[in-house]
Amino acid sequence: MIVYKIIDSVMKYRFGNPVSTDAVVFKGNEINKEKLQYFTVENQQFLKLKYKMHKNDIVLGLGENLKGINKRGGVFESYCSDDADHTPDKKSLYGAHNFLVINGVEKFGIFIDYPGRVLFDIGFTHKDELEITINDKNLDIYIINGKSLRDIINRFLKIIGKSYVPPKWAFGFQQSRWSYQDAKKVEEIANNLIKNDIPCDSIYLDIDYMEDFKDFTISKKRFPNFKSFVKKMKDKGFRLIPIIDAGVKIEDDYEIYKEGIENGYFCVDEEGNPFIAAVWPGKVHFPDFLNKEARRWFGLKYKKLIDLGIDGFWNDMNEPAIFYTERGLKEAVDLAKESKNKNLNIHSFFNLKDSFENLSNNTEDYKSFYHNIDGELVNHDRVHNLYGYNMTRAAAEGFKEIEPNKRFLIFSRASYIGMHRYGGIWTGDNHSWWEHILLNIKMMPSLNMCGFLYSGADTGGFSSDANAELIIRWTQFSLFTPLFRNHSAMGTRNQEPYAFDTESTDTLRNTIRLRYSLIPYIYSEYMKAVKNHDIYFAPLSFEYDDKYSRYVEDQLLVGDSLMVTPIYKENAIGRYIWMPEEMLLWKASDYNYRDYDVINKGHQYIDININEIPIFIRKNKILVLGSHANNIEKLDNTQLNVIAFVDNKATYTYYDDDGITYDFDKGIYSEIVIDIEKIDDDYRININNKGNKHVKKLNFEIIDLRGNIIKKSLIINRVEKGDIK
Ligand code: GLC
């Protein structure tokens, strides 16, 4: 084992000779140490790490996974999986995010930088033991120390590098379904959104826009004049976001296939022939995204669609998902033939059934193909979790070459730590189940801790049928998630915001409008999280150390100022809330109508009607609120409402930039720093305007702990810097 100091309080322990994942962007210096901090290491067939948890320790992290924010009691396996049934017993979803934080007697983070199978047994087998088993002996382990949870997370996020930043329009509402299958249907969706006055920034194109599910092609029949159609939709206010799948159809005259074969850009089987699996188009090859040249080749293909006016994509089926291979199919069919006319008992019948059920995403298949990593053939199973990551990296690196200073929307289904530098993720094929709203709530802070800031779930649920109440409640939570997209599967009930009754459409319109009026806050908090290696969604335990806050699983802190307490139960008329301190409650039903209640510390029950979104402003914190428009580009935030809940002093930094380029990286952005201080019965407001030319007026509503409101307005372009009283 070689040990490196990466940055202050972060150590890297190198075992054997690992494959480089590029998850961590810092190199570090070699130092002398004999033992892995906190853990005992068993180095037998596999590497096994053990940590004795203390009674009240909580364990956070693991990104995209089932179970709670506190992962204690669970067992999880990092192995990117295309599994559409996110039931509580599942160990793996689409992402592999091997980062945990222990918050208890000892506080530290651990990142297992290994891209194959890793098992995390967090007190499942033995209630006080954390046991991590790695299917290899070549890997890097990082231990991150810090005084607080925030410290640990900031350091971890620093070593894995800054998050991807999407264009600002990607913070708008987005409408999707598998599938809006042709131009006529897409236009109908756009017109319905317009007719119902529902703000929306983009409409998604699922697999049916392609010719026979071939990447970078467009069906001439279903989208005859694609380029002019894209423009027409943009003129109406909607961007179109096509899907790109990992598998490349095997078809002689298909350009991508031909080039991939000619240049050896596909993954190969044991004999060195391009590996064959079947997905949407039937038989495909998988581009070898772990091979730099192949990655560049595929990444530049996005230009085909960019040239037609496309500004955003979603990368799918990149675990990679496999429906079947010839090997698996043959075995199953042979067994079926053998079984014919036999008297199958419990064992032989289930064996036969399993052989078909296990055709998809089978480990044997993942073990039977190879990548060319810098000239070395590496078995896929060892680097499985890097595949989706590198597909999305291909796209992002392509965009950088194609239009270096333009931000594109890109997010992926499969991912590994480090991919957050290239794109966001969505949380895959959930269901229209109330349980999945709660799962969505719990997953968001866990994903943020692993770097994934631009993320969100299929709002309303992908599989199964949703009713109006579920869509409303889910939308009321998703309006806080950076990626805010309603998506559903083929064959399910339509769930667009106008698909139900008029009353529900009215509620959803107001809910989505609220999202648009929250953009000044959401975007500021997102961008500050990026800049400061911080998170956007945090569990209560990040700010409040009391005994209850540590265990709260269904309330989140959003940015610096807000706590949200979503409703995720059917027929609920309110909910119980743990108030770690007094806060100001705004039950938002219409962005334009505000009244407030001060809610005291303690356990509280709050009534919440179907059209209300409970938003809590924390003590001595500030919310900036703009107005709404039907898409992000139309937002006119020359006036902002500043809602402050002030005991003695509150500060807020409102961030803004051009929303479309990377100029912010060169320091081209603006900030308005707002300070409010209580002096006797009045407030002193101090504004420091650092370059914002857009906002002209701030309308203050300052509320004290007794609920008294003072309103003031401030013309900002005259006060570049100064006090008013
Ligand atoms: C996968 C994706 C889903 C998409 C479908 C068809 O199931 O996760 O979002 O709609 O494929 O492309």
Side-chain angles (χ1 to χ4, degrees):
M1 182 177 79
I2 309 171
V3 186
Y4 303 83
K5 182 175 169 193
I6 300 302
I7 56 168
D8 260 352
S9 307
V10 179
M11 295 296 164
K12 161 165 141 183
Y13 303 79
R14 166 154 288 191
F15 294 79
N17 183 21
V19 173
S20 166
T21 64
D22 287 339
V24 169
V25 292
F26 284 78
K27 292 267 177 291
N29 298 319
E30 207 172 314
I31 53 163
N32 253 336
K33 270 206 172 186
E34 275 134 48
K35 272 186 71 211
L36 180 66
Q37 206 183 354
Y38 304 112
F39 288 85
T40 53
V41 179
E42 280 175 22
N43 198 343
Q44 285 149 12
Q45 193 195 349
F46 299 131
L47 205 70
K48 203 177 260 232
L49 314 179
K50 288 188 173 174
Y51 175 74
K52 184 103 196 132
M53 295 184 287
H54 302 86
K55 193 163 169 279
N56 297 322
D57 288 359
I58 59 171
V59 183
L60 308 174
L62 279 191
E64 189 177 38
N65 253 305
L66 275 314
K67 295 226 171 210
I69 294 177
N70 180 1
K71 294 286 182 301
R72 197 163 173 166
V75 62
F76 307 89
E77 186 171 54
S78 280
Y79 200 75
C80 296
S81 303
D82 165 33
D83 183 336
D85 278 319
H86 308 170
T87 46
D89 55 332
K90 293 295 165 65
K91 296 195 188 83
S92 318
L93 292 175
Y94 312 87
H97 306 144
N98 305 337
F99 172 64
L100 283 181
V101 186
I102 313 293
N103 181 21
V105 176
E106 291 167 314
K107 275 191 182 20
F108 64 91
I110 176 166
F111 169 41
I112 311 291
D113 191 6
Y114 174 68
R117 234 175 249 279
V118 184
L119 194 78
F120 295 88
D121 183 333
I122 310 176
F124 175 79
T125 308
H126 307 287
K127 75 178 171 47
D128 294 328
E129 242 167 55
L130 164 62
E131 209 174 277
I132 305 173
T133 311
I134 301 115
N135 258 32
D136 202 336
K137 290 184 181 185
N138 301 291
L139 69 148
D140 290 329
I141 294 174
Y142 294 80
I143 298 282
I144 300 104
N145 281 297
K147 283 198 289 293
S148 64
L149 285 174
R150 187 76 68 179
D151 262 4
I152 294 167
I153 294 296
N154 291 162
R155 284 173 188 156
F156 178 61
L157 295 181
K158 186 166 184 190
I159 67 160
I160 61 172
K162 267 198 190 156
S163 160
Y164 157 76
V165 174
K168 202 179 198 179
W169 58 259
F171 288 83
F173 174 67
Q174 316 196 54
Q175 185 58 52
S176 183
R177 181 166 172 87
W178 174 22
S179 269
Y180 300 135
Q181 74 281 1
D182 56 24
K184 193 164 157 258
K185 185 74 194 174
V186 173
E187 194 162 358
E188 179 193 315
I189 300 296
N191 291 342
N192 280 336
L193 287 159
I194 294 169
K195 193 171 85 201
N196 287 287
D197 214 359
I198 292 172
C200 180
D201 268 80
S202 41
I203 299 177
Y204 278 64
L205 302 181
D206 210 316
I207 47 176
D208 300 295
Y209 80 88
M210 295 182 248
E211 194 75 65
D212 294 333
F213 312 113
K214 287 184 284 187
D215 280 337
F216 309 113
T217 66
I218 288 145
S219 160
K220 289 199 188 62
K221 200 165 128 235
R222 289 187 294 276
F223 291 89
N225 298 304
F226 192 70
K227 193 170 180 178
S228 51
F229 182 65
V230 172
K231 169 137 193 335
K232 185 175 179 195
M233 287 295 111
K234 225 180 240 180
D235 292 344
K236 279 185 187 258
F238 303 92
R239 286 183 159 82
L240 300 185
I241 314 295
I243 197 168
I244 304 290
D245 287 312
V248 168
K249 184 171 190 208
I250 300 177
E251 188 182 278
D252 283 344
D253 289 331
Y254 169 38
E255 175 195 315
I256 315 286
Y257 164 76
K258 278 200 295 194
E259 288 179 10
I261 293 287
E262 274 158 29
N263 296 294
Y265 288 155
F266 294 125
C267 296
V268 293
D269 63 17
E270 255 142 47
E271 274 86 51
N273 301 315
F275 175 74
I276 302 172
V279 204
W280 305 119
K283 302 234 169 103
V284 300
H285 293 318
F286 291 129
D288 187 357
F289 297 117
L290 279 69
N291 166 343
K292 283 195 201 81
E293 281 104 58
R295 194 160 67 226
R296 178 161 185 270
W297 161 73
F298 196 88
L300 291 176
K301 292 291 171 208
Y302 286 78
K303 187 164 188 303
K304 285 181 170 292
L305 293 163
I306 292 171
D307 286 345
L308 301 174
I310 296 296
D311 311 303
F313 301 87
W314 48 315
N315 280 349
D316 192 22
M317 305 296 271
N318 51 6
E319 294 67 34
I322 295 179
F323 290 170
Y324 68 89
T325 58
E326 276 303 329
R327 177 206 60 80
L329 196 61
K330 183 174 180 311
E331 271 176 32
V333 170
D334 286 352
L335 192 62
K337 280 187 191 148
E338 268 171 44
S339 311
K340 209 173 157 199
N341 302 327
K342 281 211 181 125
N343 179 4
L344 301 179
N345 68 10
I346 172 172
H347 303 296
S348 43
F349 171 70
F350 281 102
N351 200 13
L352 174 65
K353 194 163 172 256
D354 286 351
S355 70
F356 282 93
E357 277 178 357
N358 294 337
L359 273 181
S360 300
N361 308 319
N362 189 297
T363 310
E364 283 312 302
D365 292 327
Y366 289 130
K367 283 185 176 160
S368 64
F369 65 97
Y370 295 81
H371 298 271
N372 174 350
I373 307 180
D374 298 323
E376 194 191 327
L377 273 193
V378 180
N379 185 271
H380 174 78
D381 188 53
R382 274 187 68 201
V383 288
H384 174 75
N385 295 334
L386 293 180
Y387 193 74
Y389 165 2
N390 280 287
M391 177 182 181
T392 302
R393 183 176 177 180
E397 289 174 344
F399 302 155
K400 274 260 134 73
E401 264 193 66
I402 297 161
E403 270 191 77
N405 202 25
K406 174 172 165 162
R407 295 188 218 166
F408 286 87
L409 169 61
I410 176 77
F411 58 90
S412 174
R413 195 169 71 176
S415 60
Y416 181 79
I417 283 184
M419 200 209 83
H420 72 292
R421 301 196 299 274
Y422 301 100
I425 56 175
W426 95 100
T427 58
D429 300 347
N430 56 11
H431 281 249
S432 300
W433 295 339
W434 288 88
E435 291 79 355
H436 279 183
I437 306 184
L438 181 59
L439 181 63
N440 185 192
I441 297 166
K442 292 172 178 182
M443 234 187 246
M444 296 318 291
S446 315
L447 282 170
N448 276 208
M449 287 180 226
C450 295
F452 294 95
L453 295 180
Y454 191 75
S455 54
D458 286 351
T459 299
F462 177 71
S463 307
S464 311
D465 293 333
N467 65 14
E469 190 188 355
L470 180 126
I471 297 290
I472 290 172
R473 291 308 195 189
W474 207 324
T475 309
Q476 289 171 342
F477 171 63
S478 290
L479 81 91
F480 296 101
T481 64
L483 167 58
F484 179 23
R485 183 180 74 140
N486 176 324
H487 180 52
S488 55
M490 195 162 56
T492 61
R493 182 179 182 186
N494 285 356
Q495 61 179 46
E496 292 80 9
Y498 51 77
F500 303 91
D501 53 287
T502 353
E503 200 183 329
S504 301
T505 305
D506 291 345
T507 302
L508 284 160
R509 180 186 311 109
N510 279 338
T511 306
I512 296 170
R513 282 182 173 173
L514 182 69
R515 159 66 167 226
Y516 281 75
S517 57
L518 279 167
I519 288 292
Y521 179 77
I522 291 175
Y523 191 66
S524 285
E525 294 307 301
Y526 185 94
M527 292 304 291
K528 285 187 284 177
V530 173
K531 265 173 53 179
N532 304 328
H533 309 286
D534 211 342
I535 53 180
Y536 166 92
F537 277 117
L540 261 47
S541 55
F542 268 64
E543 290 294 325
Y544 303 99
D545 205 20
D546 61 85
K547 123 173 168 205
Y548 298 109
S549 293
R550 286 164 65 80
Y551 296 99
V552 170
E553 294 271 340
D554 58 357
Q555 304 173 205
L556 297 178
L557 302 174
V558 179
D560 190 44
S561 310
L562 302 183
M563 176 176 84
V564 296
T565 59
I567 297 275
Y568 53 89
K569 288 186 181 156
E570 194 156 23
N571 300 318
I573 53 158
R575 57 163 285 177
Y576 287 96
I577 289 170
W578 166 243
M579 297 294 303
E581 62 175 341
E582 64 235 292
M583 295 188 197
L584 187 72
L585 170 61
W586 171 29
K587 292 185 196 171
S589 53
D590 180 336
Y591 91 104
N592 227 352
Y593 174 76
R594 294 188 293 278
D595 65 355
Y596 310 104
D597 291 312
V598 176
I599 308 292
N600 290 330
K601 179 175 172 162
H603 295 285
Q604 304 281 4
Y605 185 89
I606 313 276
D607 290 339
I608 303 162
N609 291 332
I610 183 73
N611 61 341
E612 290 175 333
I613 301 141
I615 299 179
F616 288 88
I617 302 174
R618 295 167 58 206
K619 191 158 74 184
N620 289 324
K621 300 284 180 189
I622 294 174
L623 169 66
V624 286
L625 197 66
S627 51
H628 70 82
N630 278 356
N631 66 40
I632 296 280
E633 278 162 9
K634 294 209 185 96
L635 283 175
D636 166 21
N637 284 326
T638 47
Q639 289 199 32
L640 293 179
N641 295 308
V642 179
I643 306 159
F645 182 45
V646 183
D647 181 16
N648 44 39
K649 244 180 168 175
T651 297
Y652 187 74
T653 302
Y654 166 68
Y655 170 101
D656 203 10
D657 59 25
D658 66 19
I660 47 172
T661 73
Y662 288 102
D663 285 355
F664 65 87
D665 260 345
K666 300 181 214 134
I668 306 175
Y669 57 83
S670 67
E671 284 178 347
I672 303 175
V673 184
I674 304 166
D675 280 302
I676 302 175
E677 194 180 348
K678 190 166 183 20
I679 296 174
D680 303 326
D681 279 339
D682 204 356
Y683 299 89
R684 173 189 290 151
I685 302 173
N686 184 283
I687 302 295
N688 186 355
N689 182 9
K690 302 179 182 171
N692 192 312
K693 298 204 174 71
H694 189 72
V695 181
K696 303 277 185 261
K697 193 174 172 201
L698 299 176
N699 300 317
F700 287 85
E701 288 174 23
I702 306 174
I703 299 106
D704 70 11
L705 297 201
R706 276 166 293 145
N708 301 318
I709 306 186
I710 289 190
K711 294 189 180 180
K712 291 174 187 249
S713 282
L714 184 56
I715 306 292
I716 196 173
N717 56 355
R718 295 211 205 108
V719 192
E720 278 292 300
K721 188 175 174 171
D723 278 359
I724 65 149
K725 228 193 126 193

